């Protein structure tokens, strides 16, 4: 059990991005990707977009979320203590 606890903690802290199909006002089909959370970054959104579009590329339609902090605002180089909201809407090419 003692060896299992650290594994559960790591899995709980590791983030993942989720995506769902959405439709733009012009009727075009896109993907809404959510990569919110302390363990994620904007790069997580873009990696999920690339994987979801099967390497064909994508066009960013919109982004929404908490901006990245300045290096001077971080504690020991890490942004801690703030829950980050991040989402991006893309259209696969």
């Amino acid at each position: 059990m003692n060896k299992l606890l650290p594994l559960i903690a790591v899995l709980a802290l590791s983030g993942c991005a989720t995506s769902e199909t959405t439709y733009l006002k012009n009727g075009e089909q896109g993907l809404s990707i959510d990569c919110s959370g302390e363990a994620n970054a904007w790069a997580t959104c873009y990696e999920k977009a690339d994987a979801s579009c099967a390497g064909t590329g994508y066009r960013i339609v919109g982004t929404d979320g908490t901006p990245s902090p300045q290096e001077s605002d971080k504690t020991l180089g890490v942004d801690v203590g703030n829950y980050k909201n991040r989402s991006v809407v893309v259209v696969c090419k």
Side-chain angles (χ1 to χ4, degrees):
M1 183 66 175
N2 288 341
K3 292 181 182 181
L4 190 58
L5 228 45
L7 178 63
I8 293 172
V10 168
L11 291 175
L13 291 175
S14 66
C16 62
T18 59
S19 66
E20 62 181 44
T21 303
T22 188
Y23 292 92
L24 307 178
K25 289 182 181 180
N26 65 2
E28 196 172 20
Q29 182 176 339
L31 287 172
S32 177
I33 301 170
D34 180 30
C35 51
S36 298
E38 194 69 36
N40 286 324
W42 282 106
T44 308
C45 283
Y46 304 131
E47 290 167 4
K48 181 69 173 182
D50 194 42
S52 296
C53 291
T56 61
Y58 57 90
R59 175 174 46 98
I60 297 174
V61 178
T63 60
D64 184 36
T66 309
S68 297
Q70 300 294 323
E71 285 299 316
S72 61
D73 294 334
K74 295 180 179 180
T75 303
L76 299 175
V78 178
D79 182 27
V80 294
N82 296 316
Y83 182 80
K84 304 293 183 248
N85 294 315
R86 293 178 206 86
S87 64
V88 63
V89 177
V90 300
V91 173
C92 295
K93 294 182 178 178

XYZ file of all heavy atoms in Angstrom:
673
model
N 0.819 -1.193 0.000
C 0.000 0.000 0.000
C 0.858 1.250 0.000
O 0.510 2.233 -0.622
C -0.930 -0.030 1.219
C -1.886 1.134 1.273
S -3.041 1.052 -0.106
C -4.092 2.388 0.283
N 2.003 1.225 0.736
C 2.881 2.383 0.796
C 3.478 2.721 -0.558
O 3.771 3.870 -0.840
C 4.001 2.164 1.813
C 3.479 2.224 3.233
O 2.409 2.758 3.485
N 4.241 1.653 4.156
N 3.686 1.728 -1.405
C 4.229 1.968 -2.741
C 3.143 2.455 -3.695
O 3.432 3.109 -4.685
C 4.871 0.710 -3.289
C 6.118 0.305 -2.541
C 6.725 -0.924 -3.135
C 7.952 -1.324 -2.335
N 8.617 -2.493 -2.871
N 1.922 2.146 -3.406
C 0.811 2.526 -4.263
C 0.409 3.987 -4.075
O -0.013 4.649 -5.017
C -0.385 1.618 -3.983
C -1.570 1.713 -4.935
C -1.135 1.429 -6.363
C -2.638 0.727 -4.521
N 0.571 4.513 -2.870
C 0.189 5.885 -2.568
C 0.916 6.920 -3.422
O 0.269 7.814 -3.980
C 0.403 6.168 -1.074
C -0.738 6.842 -0.338
C -2.074 6.261 -0.640
C -0.459 6.843 1.141
N 2.238 6.854 -3.584
C 2.916 7.833 -4.447
C 2.455 7.757 -5.910
O 2.340 8.772 -6.581
C 4.392 7.472 -4.326
C 4.514 6.740 -3.042
C 3.207 6.031 -2.867
N 2.181 6.558 -6.374
C 1.698 6.396 -7.737
C 0.350 7.079 -7.922
O 0.119 7.770 -8.913
C 1.601 4.916 -8.101
C 1.063 4.606 -9.491
C 1.974 5.170 -10.556
C 0.892 3.113 -9.664
N -0.539 6.909 -6.967
C -1.851 7.554 -7.030
C -1.697 9.071 -6.999
O -2.373 9.788 -7.734
C -2.756 7.054 -5.881
C -3.095 5.576 -6.100
C -4.014 7.895 -5.777
C -3.812 4.921 -4.946
N -0.795 9.577 -6.178
C -0.562 11.021 -6.093
C -0.046 11.574 -7.417
O -0.486 12.625 -7.884
C 0.415 11.336 -4.973
N 0.870 10.875 -8.049
C 1.410 11.319 -9.341
C 0.320 11.319 -10.398
O 0.198 12.255 -11.187
C 2.598 10.428 -9.766
C 2.984 10.673 -11.213
C 3.783 10.674 -8.855
N -0.491 10.282 -10.427
C -1.565 10.213 -11.401
C -2.598 11.315 -11.182
O -3.149 11.863 -12.133
C -2.231 8.839 -11.370
C -1.387 7.687 -11.893
C -2.122 6.366 -11.687
C -1.029 7.893 -13.348
N -2.862 11.649 -9.947
C -3.836 12.699 -9.644
C -3.319 14.062 -10.069
O -4.096 14.918 -10.497
C -4.163 12.696 -8.154
N -2.022 14.279 -9.963
C -1.448 15.570 -10.329
C -1.165 15.701 -11.816
O -1.040 16.791 -12.322
C -0.158 15.815 -9.541
C -0.350 16.059 -8.052
C 1.005 16.172 -7.368
C -1.178 17.304 -7.804
N -1.026 14.590 -12.501
C -0.751 14.667 -13.930
C -2.018 15.101 -14.652
O -3.112 14.653 -14.362
C -0.263 13.323 -14.454
O -1.279 12.364 -14.370
N -1.843 16.004 -15.565
C -3.003 16.566 -16.245
C -3.235 15.916 -17.588
O -2.375 15.265 -18.151
N -4.420 16.111 -18.075
C -4.719 15.671 -19.418
C -5.715 16.661 -20.008
O -6.468 17.309 -19.300
C -5.274 14.257 -19.434
S -6.819 14.060 -18.542
N -5.651 16.773 -21.299
C -6.553 17.674 -22.002
C -7.735 16.876 -22.517
O -7.605 15.711 -22.881
C -5.819 18.349 -23.155
N -8.892 17.494 -22.542
C -10.081 16.855 -23.088
C -10.553 17.661 -24.284
O -10.362 18.873 -24.348
C -11.208 16.782 -22.047
O -11.547 18.098 -21.621
C -10.792 15.958 -20.842
N -11.159 16.978 -25.223
C -11.670 17.685 -26.403
C -13.074 17.198 -26.713
O -13.433 16.058 -26.406
C -10.750 17.469 -27.605
O -10.764 16.124 -28.008
N -13.837 18.092 -27.302
C -15.176 17.720 -27.754
C -15.494 18.491 -29.023
O -14.999 19.595 -29.245
C -16.225 17.970 -26.675
C -16.383 19.393 -26.249
C -17.417 19.552 -25.154
O -17.425 18.745 -24.210
O -18.205 20.495 -25.265
N -16.303 17.888 -29.849
C -16.695 18.510 -31.107
C -17.578 19.718 -30.837
O -18.435 19.684 -29.958
C -17.453 17.501 -31.986
O -16.609 16.366 -32.190
C -17.841 18.102 -33.315
N -17.343 20.767 -31.593
C -18.150 21.973 -31.482
C -18.408 22.507 -32.887
O -17.731 22.116 -33.842
C -17.457 23.029 -30.595
O -18.352 24.103 -30.365
C -16.190 23.553 -31.228
N -19.379 23.356 -33.020
C -19.682 23.950 -34.316
C -19.592 25.464 -34.213
O -20.121 26.073 -33.282
C -21.073 23.519 -34.798
C -21.108 22.047 -35.130
C -21.467 21.109 -34.182
C -20.733 21.602 -36.398
C -21.462 19.760 -34.472
C -20.729 20.250 -36.698
C -21.091 19.339 -35.739
O -21.081 17.995 -36.031
N -18.902 26.060 -35.169
C -18.747 27.503 -35.196
C -20.007 28.149 -35.751
O -20.882 27.478 -36.305
C -17.533 27.872 -36.061
C -16.225 27.170 -35.700
C -15.133 27.589 -36.663
C -15.831 27.464 -34.280
N -20.106 29.458 -35.634
C -21.291 30.176 -36.110
C -21.513 29.985 -37.610
O -22.638 29.987 -38.075
C -21.171 31.665 -35.794
C -21.317 31.976 -34.333
C -21.239 33.460 -34.072
C -21.368 33.736 -32.584
N -21.305 35.176 -32.296
N -20.422 29.811 -38.364
C -20.557 29.621 -39.812
C -20.866 28.174 -40.185
O -20.898 27.824 -41.357
C -19.292 30.096 -40.529
C -18.065 29.276 -40.190
O -18.133 28.301 -39.439
N -16.928 29.673 -40.727
N -21.060 27.299 -39.198
C -21.407 25.911 -39.436
C -20.214 24.981 -39.534
O -20.371 23.767 -39.624
N -19.019 25.528 -39.511
C -17.806 24.735 -39.600
C -17.616 23.914 -38.318
O -17.868 24.398 -37.223
C -16.624 25.691 -39.796
C -15.361 25.073 -40.271
C -14.312 26.125 -40.622
O -14.400 27.278 -40.166
O -13.393 25.763 -41.343
N -17.164 22.671 -38.474
C -16.935 21.798 -37.326
C -15.538 22.045 -36.772
O -14.570 22.145 -37.511
C -17.077 20.336 -37.720
C -16.900 19.383 -36.555
C -17.132 17.942 -36.941
O -17.773 17.657 -37.932
N -16.570 17.028 -36.175
N -15.451 22.148 -35.457
C -14.164 22.357 -34.807
C -14.047 21.506 -33.563
O -14.921 20.684 -33.262
N -12.976 21.709 -32.844
C -12.740 21.010 -31.589
C -12.545 22.027 -30.487
O -11.759 22.963 -30.641
C -11.477 20.152 -31.674
C -11.526 18.898 -32.495
C -10.131 18.297 -32.607
C -12.460 17.890 -31.861
N -13.236 21.841 -29.393
C -13.037 22.649 -28.206
C -12.174 21.822 -27.259
O -12.575 20.747 -26.827
C -14.380 22.990 -27.556
O -14.173 23.711 -26.369
N -10.983 22.326 -26.962
C -10.023 21.584 -26.154
C -9.833 22.307 -24.831
O -9.537 23.492 -24.795
C -8.683 21.445 -26.891
C -8.907 20.716 -28.208
C -7.660 20.726 -26.023
C -7.719 20.711 -29.131
N -10.015 21.569 -23.737
C -9.853 22.115 -22.395
C -8.605 21.512 -21.769
O -8.489 20.298 -21.648
C -11.079 21.795 -21.539
C -10.963 22.342 -20.131
O -10.302 23.379 -19.946
O -11.533 21.733 -19.221
N -7.675 22.363 -21.392
C -6.450 21.891 -20.735
C -6.228 22.711 -19.466
O -5.128 23.177 -19.190
C -5.256 21.953 -21.673
S -5.040 23.540 -22.464
N -7.290 22.879 -18.721
C -7.231 23.627 -17.474
C -6.528 22.812 -16.400
O -6.428 21.599 -16.490
C -8.644 23.959 -16.988
O -9.302 24.777 -17.918
N -6.071 23.500 -15.384
C -5.487 22.826 -14.233
C -4.048 23.206 -14.006
O -3.357 23.690 -14.897
N -3.636 22.987 -12.803
C -2.284 23.343 -12.368
C -1.224 22.521 -13.085
O -0.128 23.012 -13.347
C -2.184 23.127 -10.854
C -0.988 23.740 -10.217
C -1.028 25.256 -10.198
O -2.104 25.840 -10.033
O 0.043 25.859 -10.360
N -1.519 21.274 -13.412
C -0.519 20.386 -14.003
C -0.388 20.551 -15.507
O 0.480 19.947 -16.118
C -0.868 18.939 -13.671
N -1.236 21.345 -16.144
C -1.205 21.531 -17.588
C -0.596 22.868 -17.960
O -0.344 23.715 -17.115
C -2.617 21.444 -18.171
C -3.127 20.027 -18.211
O -2.387 19.101 -18.445
N -4.411 19.859 -17.976
N -0.413 23.057 -19.248
C 0.091 24.307 -19.805
C -0.578 24.498 -21.161
O -1.252 23.600 -21.667
C 1.605 24.250 -19.953
N -0.362 25.656 -21.759
C -0.920 25.892 -23.090
C -0.402 24.851 -24.073
O -1.113 24.433 -24.986
C -0.581 27.306 -23.569
C -1.444 28.339 -22.935
C -1.099 29.224 -21.968
C -2.823 28.603 -23.229
N -2.168 30.010 -21.632
C -3.234 29.659 -22.389
C -3.753 28.048 -24.098
C -4.534 30.168 -22.413
C -5.038 28.555 -24.117
C -5.421 29.599 -23.283
N 0.828 24.416 -23.880
C 1.405 23.402 -24.770
C 0.566 22.128 -24.769
O 0.462 21.447 -25.798
C 2.840 23.102 -24.362
N -0.056 21.803 -23.646
C -0.910 20.624 -23.562
C -2.084 20.753 -24.517
O -2.458 19.786 -25.184
C -1.430 20.432 -22.119
O -0.329 20.449 -21.219
C -2.186 19.125 -21.972
N -2.660 21.953 -24.615
C -3.769 22.192 -25.546
C -3.319 21.954 -26.983
O -4.005 21.306 -27.768
C -4.271 23.629 -25.435
S -5.313 23.984 -24.021
N -2.158 22.512 -27.329
C -1.679 22.412 -28.699
C -1.256 20.994 -29.050
O -1.449 20.544 -30.191
C -0.550 23.409 -28.931
C -0.980 24.823 -28.599
C -0.208 25.634 -27.796
C -2.193 25.333 -29.057
C -0.620 26.921 -27.473
C -2.612 26.606 -28.733
C -1.823 27.405 -27.945
O -2.233 28.667 -27.609
N -0.720 20.254 -28.094
C -0.380 18.851 -28.327
C -1.650 18.039 -28.573
O -1.683 17.168 -29.451
C 0.395 18.285 -27.150
C 1.796 18.836 -27.021
C 2.456 18.518 -25.690
O 1.853 17.788 -24.865
O 3.578 19.005 -25.470
N -2.701 18.318 -27.795
C -3.975 17.605 -27.969
C -4.585 17.952 -29.326
O -5.134 17.082 -30.005
C -4.939 17.974 -26.834
C -6.273 17.294 -26.902
C -6.173 15.806 -26.635
C -7.552 15.179 -26.547
N -7.495 13.768 -26.241
N -4.476 19.222 -29.737
C -5.002 19.633 -31.037
C -4.266 18.904 -32.152
O -4.893 18.399 -33.095
C -4.864 21.141 -31.208
N -2.953 18.823 -32.055
C -2.158 18.137 -33.065
C -2.519 16.658 -33.137
O -2.693 16.106 -34.225
C -0.671 18.320 -32.764
C 0.207 17.931 -33.933
O -0.154 18.276 -35.080
O 1.233 17.277 -33.699
N -2.668 16.025 -31.985
C -3.027 14.606 -31.950
C -4.447 14.383 -32.475
O -4.708 13.414 -33.189
C -2.897 14.058 -30.533
N -5.367 15.281 -32.139
C -6.761 15.133 -32.557
C -6.933 15.344 -34.055
O -7.841 14.786 -34.668
C -7.649 16.119 -31.799
O -7.633 15.839 -30.425
N -6.068 16.153 -34.635
C -6.163 16.434 -36.074
C -5.311 15.470 -36.897
O -5.119 15.686 -38.098
C -5.764 17.878 -36.350
S -6.960 19.074 -35.706
N -4.812 14.434 -36.272
C -4.093 13.342 -36.939
C -2.953 13.835 -37.813
O -2.729 13.332 -38.906
C -5.068 12.488 -37.738
N -2.236 14.847 -37.343
C -1.065 15.321 -38.067
C -1.345 16.146 -39.306
O -0.435 16.491 -40.035
N -2.604 16.465 -39.583
C -2.933 17.264 -40.766
C -2.786 18.757 -40.510
O -2.876 19.553 -41.427
C -4.385 16.994 -41.224
O -5.280 17.366 -40.176
C -4.584 15.532 -41.577
N -2.581 19.114 -39.262
C -2.479 20.519 -38.899
C -3.828 21.072 -38.471
O -4.869 20.432 -38.637
N -3.799 22.269 -37.909
C -5.024 22.885 -37.419
C -4.893 24.402 -37.460
O -3.803 24.938 -37.548
C -5.349 22.418 -35.997
C -4.242 22.687 -34.999
C -4.203 23.888 -34.285
C -3.235 21.755 -34.771
C -3.186 24.135 -33.377
C -2.233 22.000 -33.868
C -2.208 23.194 -33.173
O -1.207 23.441 -32.276
N -6.038 25.029 -37.412
C -6.110 26.489 -37.367
C -6.751 26.866 -36.042
O -7.810 26.348 -35.682
C -6.959 26.997 -38.539
C -7.219 28.471 -38.556
C -7.954 28.884 -39.838
N -9.074 28.024 -40.203
C -10.355 28.288 -39.920
N -10.688 29.373 -39.264
N -11.301 27.460 -40.300
N -6.114 27.769 -35.299
C -6.669 28.206 -34.018
C -7.750 29.244 -34.285
O -7.501 30.251 -34.941
C -5.567 28.792 -33.121
C -4.529 27.724 -32.795
C -6.176 29.364 -31.833
C -3.324 28.245 -32.042
N -8.935 28.974 -33.775
C -10.071 29.882 -33.960
C -10.195 30.817 -32.770
O -10.534 31.989 -32.923
C -11.380 29.079 -34.168
C -12.560 30.002 -34.311
C -11.245 28.161 -35.367
N -9.920 30.321 -31.569
C -10.023 31.161 -30.387
C -9.365 30.508 -29.186
O -9.207 29.295 -29.134
N -8.956 31.360 -28.258
C -8.395 30.879 -27.002
C -9.051 31.636 -25.858
O -9.522 32.760 -26.030
C -6.868 31.098 -26.923
O -6.606 32.492 -27.037
C -6.135 30.349 -28.014
N -9.071 30.992 -24.718
C -9.620 31.633 -23.529
C -8.897 31.061 -22.325
O -8.674 29.856 -22.244
C -11.120 31.359 -23.402
C -11.743 32.090 -22.226
O -11.320 33.229 -21.946
O -12.638 31.514 -21.594
N -8.500 31.934 -21.419
C -7.870 31.411 -20.230
C -7.021 32.414 -19.496
O -6.932 33.584 -19.862
N -6.413 31.903 -18.465
C -5.544 32.694 -17.612
C -4.225 32.906 -18.335
O -3.610 31.942 -18.796
C -5.293 31.933 -16.297
O -6.549 31.532 -15.754
C -4.553 32.787 -15.298
N -3.753 34.143 -18.449
C -2.471 34.368 -19.125
C -1.301 33.790 -18.333
O -1.392 33.624 -17.111
C -2.365 35.890 -19.214
C -3.305 36.412 -18.192
C -4.363 35.369 -17.977
N -0.243 33.498 -19.027
C 0.960 32.979 -18.367
C 1.574 34.073 -17.505
O 1.666 35.217 -17.923
C 1.982 32.529 -19.402
O 1.481 31.480 -20.160
N 2.026 33.713 -16.300
C 2.637 34.717 -15.424
C 4.043 35.083 -15.891
O 4.701 34.306 -16.579
C 2.680 34.018 -14.070
C 2.766 32.571 -14.410
C 1.974 32.404 -15.675
N 4.489 36.249 -15.499
C 5.859 36.667 -15.761
C 6.793 35.828 -14.903
O 6.411 35.332 -13.844
C 6.029 38.152 -15.413
C 5.125 39.073 -16.200
C 5.477 39.075 -17.679
O 6.641 39.006 -18.047
N 4.466 39.151 -18.524
N 8.035 35.678 -15.336
C 9.008 34.907 -14.555
C 9.165 35.475 -13.150
O 9.343 34.745 -12.187
C 10.361 34.876 -15.265
C 10.402 33.959 -16.463
C 10.139 32.508 -16.129
O 10.682 32.001 -15.124
O 9.376 31.858 -16.872
N 9.060 36.799 -13.011
C 9.222 37.430 -11.702
C 8.067 37.117 -10.748
O 8.199 37.276 -9.538
C 9.362 38.948 -11.866
O 8.202 39.473 -12.474
N 6.936 36.664 -11.280
C 5.777 36.337 -10.453
C 5.799 34.885 -9.966
O 4.932 34.477 -9.201
C 4.481 36.575 -11.226
C 4.258 38.038 -11.536
O 4.785 38.886 -10.786
O 3.561 38.326 -12.525
N 6.756 34.113 -10.426
C 6.828 32.699 -10.057
C 7.643 32.515 -8.785
O 8.485 33.332 -8.452
C 7.452 31.890 -11.195
C 6.612 31.888 -12.452
C 7.266 31.081 -13.527
C 6.410 31.059 -14.780
N 7.049 30.251 -15.842
N 7.370 31.425 -8.078
C 8.121 31.066 -6.876
C 9.128 29.995 -7.250
O 8.736 28.900 -7.660
C 7.167 30.530 -5.788
O 6.175 31.514 -5.524
C 7.927 30.186 -4.526
N 10.400 30.307 -7.132
C 11.474 29.391 -7.506
C 11.310 28.885 -8.938
O 11.551 27.727 -9.247
C 11.557 28.212 -6.527
C 11.853 28.564 -5.072
C 11.788 27.329 -4.208
C 13.232 29.215 -4.961
N 10.836 29.767 -9.811
C 10.683 29.418 -11.215
C 9.436 28.644 -11.562
O 9.245 28.228 -12.693
N 8.562 28.436 -10.581
C 7.344 27.651 -10.808
C 6.131 28.486 -10.407
O 6.143 29.158 -9.381
C 7.371 26.340 -9.978
C 6.106 25.542 -10.173
C 8.589 25.513 -10.328
N 5.092 28.448 -11.214
C 3.855 29.134 -10.883
C 3.022 28.218 -9.999
O 2.517 27.195 -10.445
C 3.085 29.480 -12.159
C 1.811 30.234 -11.875
O 1.740 30.917 -10.846
O 0.874 30.137 -12.687
N 2.920 28.551 -8.718
C 2.208 27.692 -7.774
C 0.998 28.409 -7.181
O 0.966 29.615 -7.085
C 3.136 27.243 -6.612
C 4.237 26.355 -7.123
C 3.715 28.432 -5.886
N 0.027 27.625 -6.797
C -1.093 28.145 -6.024
C -2.239 28.742 -6.801
O -3.214 29.172 -6.214
N -2.181 28.768 -8.094
C -3.276 29.349 -8.876
C -3.834 28.305 -9.829
O -3.100 27.706 -10.598
C -2.787 30.543 -9.685
C -2.321 31.665 -8.797
O -2.974 31.988 -7.824
N -1.193 32.256 -9.124
N -5.146 28.123 -9.791
C -5.784 27.215 -10.736
C -5.879 27.932 -12.074
O -6.304 29.083 -12.145
C -7.185 26.822 -10.256
C -7.847 25.848 -11.178
C -7.535 24.498 -11.123
C -8.764 26.272 -12.125
C -8.118 23.598 -11.980
C -9.362 25.365 -12.990
C -9.031 24.028 -12.907
O -9.609 23.142 -13.759
N -5.461 27.293 -13.112
C -5.435 27.897 -14.433
C -6.575 27.376 -15.296
O -6.788 26.176 -15.394
C -4.107 27.586 -15.138
C -2.899 28.018 -14.350
C -2.825 29.520 -14.256
C -1.590 29.956 -13.548
N -1.762 30.559 -12.288
N -7.294 28.289 -15.915
C -8.315 27.937 -16.892
C -7.723 28.157 -18.272
O -7.216 29.242 -18.562
C -9.558 28.819 -16.724
C -10.248 28.565 -15.413
O -10.436 27.428 -15.033
N -10.606 29.617 -14.730
N -7.773 27.135 -19.102
C -7.254 27.236 -20.447
C -8.157 26.451 -21.390
O -8.486 25.295 -21.109
C -5.851 26.634 -20.561
C -4.788 27.354 -19.825
C -3.454 26.601 -19.999
N -2.589 26.873 -18.883
C -2.590 26.225 -17.743
N -3.394 25.210 -17.554
N -1.781 26.563 -16.769
N -8.513 27.062 -22.499
C -9.240 26.338 -23.546
C -8.917 26.959 -24.884
O -8.613 28.153 -24.973
C -10.749 26.342 -23.290
O -11.251 27.645 -23.339
N -8.973 26.152 -25.894
C -8.695 26.604 -27.250
C -9.681 25.916 -28.188
O -10.084 24.781 -27.952
C -7.220 26.305 -27.638
C -6.932 24.834 -27.645
C -6.852 26.923 -28.954
N -10.111 26.639 -29.214
C -10.987 26.076 -30.237
C -10.173 26.047 -31.533
O -9.596 27.054 -31.931
C -12.273 26.901 -30.426
C -13.116 26.321 -31.551
C -13.080 26.933 -29.132
N -10.102 24.874 -32.134
C -9.346 24.709 -33.374
C -10.208 24.056 -34.452
O -11.205 23.402 -34.140
C -8.077 23.839 -33.154
C -7.154 24.468 -32.141
C -8.414 22.431 -32.748
N -9.781 24.254 -35.693
C -10.403 23.588 -36.832
C -9.294 22.823 -37.534
O -8.254 23.410 -37.886
C -11.054 24.604 -37.797
C -11.551 23.912 -39.060
C -12.187 25.335 -37.108
N -9.481 21.535 -37.720
C -8.475 20.714 -38.401
C -8.451 21.075 -39.891
O -9.481 21.380 -40.487
C -8.798 19.229 -38.254
S -8.699 18.656 -36.546
N -7.248 21.041 -40.450
C -7.082 21.347 -41.893
C -7.371 20.146 -42.734
O -7.325 19.042 -42.330
C -5.673 21.855 -42.157
C -5.396 23.181 -41.507
C -4.006 23.644 -41.848
C -3.745 25.008 -41.222
N -2.395 25.483 -41.476
